[in-house]
Amino acid sequence: MIDTSSFQGKTAKFYTLGCKLNFSETSTFARMLREMGVREAKKDEAADICLINTCSVTEVADHKCRQAINRMARQNPDAFIVVTGCYAQLESERVANIPGVNLVLGSNEKADLIQYLSDAWNKFDGQEQQGTFHSVKTKDIVKFQPSCSRGNRTRYFLKVQDGCNYFCTYCTIPYARGFSRNPDIASLVTQAEQAAAEGGKEIVLTGVNIGDFGRTTGESFLDLVKALDQVEGIERFRISSLEPDLIDDKLIEYCAQSRAFMPHFHIPLQSGSNEVLKLMHRRYDTALFAHKINLIKTITPDAFIGVDVMVGCRGEEPQYFEDCYNFISSLPITQLHVFPYSERPGTSALSIPYVVDDKEKKRRARQLLQLSDEMTHKFYAKHIGHEAEVLFEKAVRGKAMHGFTKNYIRVELSPTQVQEAYDNQIMRVRLGDFNFDKSALKVELL
């Protein structure tokens, strides 16, 4: 039993780096602290408790984590600082040695974050001391922390799975998150129903490798999709990311005729070269990937398809990059998420001899980003003049209001038409021309 009396009236600040899954988890921690009597500190107010949820997907992410921790400690000199997340799991002792850090929790321990915080808080005297860390080896990460973001977003982010069994040669995430695991469908339906009761209209399913859902419970991801599709009050579900080899053709077919699952897919490709995919230890080839993309577009022609691509990984010789570029160009993809390869300590990719220099990585990234812009512009342009339903998001007073169509086209409503009542409402619009920076289509209400 946690004694919450010492937390009454205290303030907290939160900082999240990385993926949607991290944001979902941070939101859950914030809610737990609110229930204990802790309020979120105002912008310029020093906090009593600071929580940083970290990422370690790249070397740059590691650097940003250290910067965020140091900044929090500097701006809140008397605060009790807790660090969790992937970087905290992989570098627990190093993080604990950062001045100002009091408590570091790995991926297994963060499921009991409130208990660890309570125990340490009651011993905290406000004086700077050596931080303590709690973490276990990858094989011992077994706990699942339920998470569903609430409060400051139009969308809810529902964590349906954690961990990964794939161990791609370039990636540290399985070491940071542990093996694949998930809760049962019934508990996730309950969380979705709670989001609906709070007024939520859209839920994004998040996880590390969510297509692997069911490994713990013997259920399937398609079973989960069908169950969530029946939750009353939630008008839209989106799937954050699905590995190509785990996208069942039946899932594509079901989403095409479902009540609430949107025509929007995000699929990591990583490389369009079969040779590079083999070096990465990915579990598919370009033929399988192309089949999934083409099937989606055949069944749902207006679907938005986002794709992750890594450039400059070890072994990506010039011809392999050209193969990748040509392969992507041949597919009806909507948008690319392009990121340069980052060397991660302990990964088997370091044994691959061919190295791409940073200048060439940037050149390849620019080339793919240009292709992405062309693809997205083409996709948006073909919808100009069409009617659509948009879920609008809260706007800053006097500014344009934005939202997304079912197939994830970003739209912009003129400030002169904006009303606060439109926030979190689904409204019918006519899609007009591009806005000034071509990041959205202007709309008129119908």
Side-chain angles (χ1 to χ4, degrees):
M1 186 69 178
I2 296 175
D3 179 10
T4 63
S5 60
S6 61
F7 289 95
Q8 298 299 313
K10 300 300 181 182
T11 59
K13 285 185 178 179
F14 307 92
Y15 193 85
T16 307
L17 299 104
C19 61
K20 294 173 182 176
L21 180 56
N22 271 8
F23 280 92
S24 177
E25 291 172 341
T26 300
S27 178
T28 296
F29 297 141
R31 175 177 53 80
M32 290 177 171
L33 287 175
R34 282 197 303 273
E35 292 171 352
M36 293 167 61
V38 178
R39 67 171 176 83
E40 190 163 353
K42 297 175 182 177
K43 185 176 180 181
D44 297 321
E45 179 183 15
D48 299 304
I49 300 167
C50 294
L51 173 65
I52 302 103
N53 196 356
T54 61
C55 172
S56 190
V57 70
T58 64
E59 184 179 358
V60 172
D62 289 354
H63 178 66
K64 287 182 177 179
C65 289
R66 293 190 293 272
Q67 284 185 320
I69 295 166
N70 286 319
R71 185 168 58 250
M72 274 286 202
R74 186 171 61 252
Q75 294 174 350
N76 304 272
D78 299 321
F80 186 93
I81 295 180
V82 185
V83 183
T84 189
C86 291
Y87 185 55
Q89 169 67 30
L90 294 172
E91 297 286 352
S92 299
E93 187 171 4
R94 180 177 183 180
V95 175
N97 286 325
I98 296 176
V101 171
N102 300 97
L103 179 63
V104 180
L105 299 177
S107 294
N108 204 57
E109 291 71 24
K110 71 180 171 187
D112 300 313
L113 184 145
I114 298 301
Q115 184 65 63
Y116 277 104
L117 172 60
S118 179
D119 292 344
W121 175 261
N122 290 327
K123 301 173 185 176
F124 181 54
D125 60 5
Q127 301 299 311
E128 185 171 326
Q129 54 189 317
Q130 174 67 43
T132 59
F133 63 93
H134 304 271
S135 63
V136 297
K137 294 181 179 179
T138 298
K139 66 180 180 63
D140 297 319
I141 301 173
V142 295
K143 293 183 179 180
F144 184 90
Q145 169 63 50
S147 299
C148 187
S149 68
R150 294 176 171 86
N152 60 350
R153 290 175 177 266
T154 297
R155 295 179 201 87
Y156 280 60
F157 291 87
L158 176 61
K159 177 181 173 182
V160 303
Q161 182 272 345
D162 204 345
C164 184
N165 294 7
Y166 274 25
F167 291 92
C168 299
T169 58
Y170 54 83
C171 187
T172 60
I173 299 306
Y175 303 101
R177 286 275 182 177
F179 295 117
S180 182
R181 57 202 184 278
N182 60 272
D184 60 32
I185 289 174
S187 67
L188 294 169
V189 168
T190 298
Q191 290 180 72
E193 290 172 340
Q194 179 61 35
E198 294 174 3
K201 296 285 200 311
E202 178 173 313
I203 292 178
V204 180
L205 308 186
T206 68
V208 177
N209 186 0
I210 65 177
D212 203 29
F213 177 90
R215 184 173 290 274
T216 308
T217 58
E219 299 162 309
S220 73
F221 186 66
L222 181 56
D223 293 335
L224 173 63
V225 166
K226 289 180 177 179
L228 291 174
D229 203 27
Q230 306 305 312
V231 175
E232 294 183 5
I234 300 299
E235 302 294 330
R236 296 180 170 190
F237 284 98
R238 297 189 191 274
I239 302 169
S240 61
S241 182
L242 281 172
E243 290 289 325
D245 56 300
L246 295 177
I247 302 177
D248 192 323
D249 289 359
K250 292 180 180 178
L251 174 68
I252 297 171
E253 293 165 0
Y254 181 84
C255 288
Q257 53 81 43
S258 76
R259 177 191 67 85
F261 276 82
M262 296 295 97
H264 174 200
F265 291 84
H266 192 93
I267 308 171
L269 170 62
Q270 309 307 10
S271 177
S273 159
N274 283 327
E275 288 76 8
V276 174
L277 289 174
K278 290 175 184 176
L279 290 173
M280 291 177 165
H281 288 181
R282 301 293 286 169
R283 301 190 181 192
Y284 54 88
D285 58 14
T286 55
L288 183 143
F289 190 89
H291 165 71
K292 300 300 180 183
I293 299 297
N294 288 322
L295 180 61
I296 291 170
K297 280 296 191 177
T298 298
I299 298 175
T300 315
D302 288 334
F304 183 109
I305 302 178
V307 170
D308 292 335
V309 189
M310 181 187 297
V311 296
C313 67
R314 285 202 175 211
E316 189 184 60
E317 298 178 17
Q319 183 56 53
Y320 296 160
F321 174 72
E322 291 305 312
D323 292 343
C324 175
Y325 183 90
N326 292 334
F327 176 70
I328 293 171
S329 300
S330 72
L331 295 175
I333 291 168
T334 312
Q335 192 174 67
L336 303 176
H337 175 212
V338 182
F339 53 101
Y341 165 73
S342 176
E343 305 225 305
R344 311 303 293 132
T347 57
S348 57
L350 298 181
S351 64
I352 300 171
Y354 187 87
V355 177
V356 181
D357 65 49
D358 288 343
K359 184 177 180 180
E360 177 60 16
K361 287 180 189 177
K362 291 177 181 177
R363 187 197 70 79
R364 294 179 186 183
R366 285 195 302 270
Q367 190 173 344
L368 283 177
L369 286 170
Q370 176 62 38
L371 176 61
S372 176
D373 287 345
E374 293 169 2
M375 289 175 156
T376 306
H377 188 279
K378 181 180 178 181
F379 182 79
Y380 275 37
K382 77 174 187 177
H383 288 84
I384 292 174
H386 293 193
E387 294 183 9
E389 290 183 346
V390 171
L391 176 59
F392 281 106
E393 302 172 352
K394 189 173 183 178
V396 176
R397 187 180 297 275
K399 300 290 186 180
M401 179 173 266
H402 295 91
F404 288 90
T405 63
K406 289 183 177 181
N407 60 342
Y408 211 58
I409 293 174
R410 187 170 184 260
V411 307
E412 181 174 293
L413 183 66
S414 167
T416 59
Q417 293 183 278
V418 170
Q419 295 185 25
E420 286 188 20
Y422 297 164
D423 176 32
N424 198 36
Q425 297 301 311
I426 295 175
M427 306 183 72
R428 195 151 190 85
V429 303
R430 178 170 285 106
L431 302 175
D433 204 351
F434 287 90
N435 66 350
F436 78 98
D437 64 357
K438 299 189 183 301
S439 64
L441 294 183
K442 294 182 285 188
V443 296
E444 59 176 288
L445 299 175
L446 297 177

